[in-house]
Amino acid sequence: MPKAYWVSAYRTISDPEKLAAYNRLAGPAVRLGGGRILARDGRVAAYDAGIGGRTILIEFDSFEQAVAARDSDAYQEALAALADGVERDFRIIEGLD
């Protein structure tokens, strides 16, 4: 079964306090949902229309697990804390195998 990934690229961070509140809740919610953080806040080389800001990559055992973690009550609480504190591009993508 192919793994799945959350890919989150932050365009802007307008409220660092909201981001900090989100981080406190999102990490445990991701782990509870079976996610493993593979990359966070490391070096980024952005090309084309990319933005070289905060980028997060999280791995899940399946696409369904990744979607369920995103829809979970625990992660929804984290999103509520984040609210309009950032602008980001968030995607869930299925791996090849």
Side-chain angles (χ1 to χ4, degrees):
M1 174 179 296
K3 294 186 186 278
Y5 303 89
W6 285 9
V7 182
S8 186
Y10 287 66
R11 299 181 196 287
T12 61
I13 298 172
S14 58
D15 191 330
E17 290 180 15
K18 287 183 178 179
L19 179 58
Y22 164 83
N23 287 337
R24 284 190 294 277
L25 297 168
V30 165
R31 287 188 294 279
L32 183 64
R36 296 170 297 283
I37 298 172
L38 299 181
R40 179 183 61 211
D41 298 332
R43 297 182 337 171
V44 174
Y47 301 95
D48 301 326
I51 297 172
R54 177 183 171 98
T55 305
I56 315 295
L57 178 63
I58 300 173
E59 180 181 64
F60 290 85
D61 289 334
S62 70
F63 187 82
E64 292 75 18
Q65 184 184 43
V67 170
R70 167 66 172 71
D71 293 343
S72 72
D73 290 342
Y75 191 72
Q76 292 304 305
E77 183 181 352
L79 286 178
L82 182 60
D84 61 352
V86 304
E87 179 187 358
R88 67 183 183 160
D89 180 352
F90 180 94
R91 299 170 188 227
I92 299 174
I93 183 170
E94 186 173 53
L96 295 176
D97 54 11

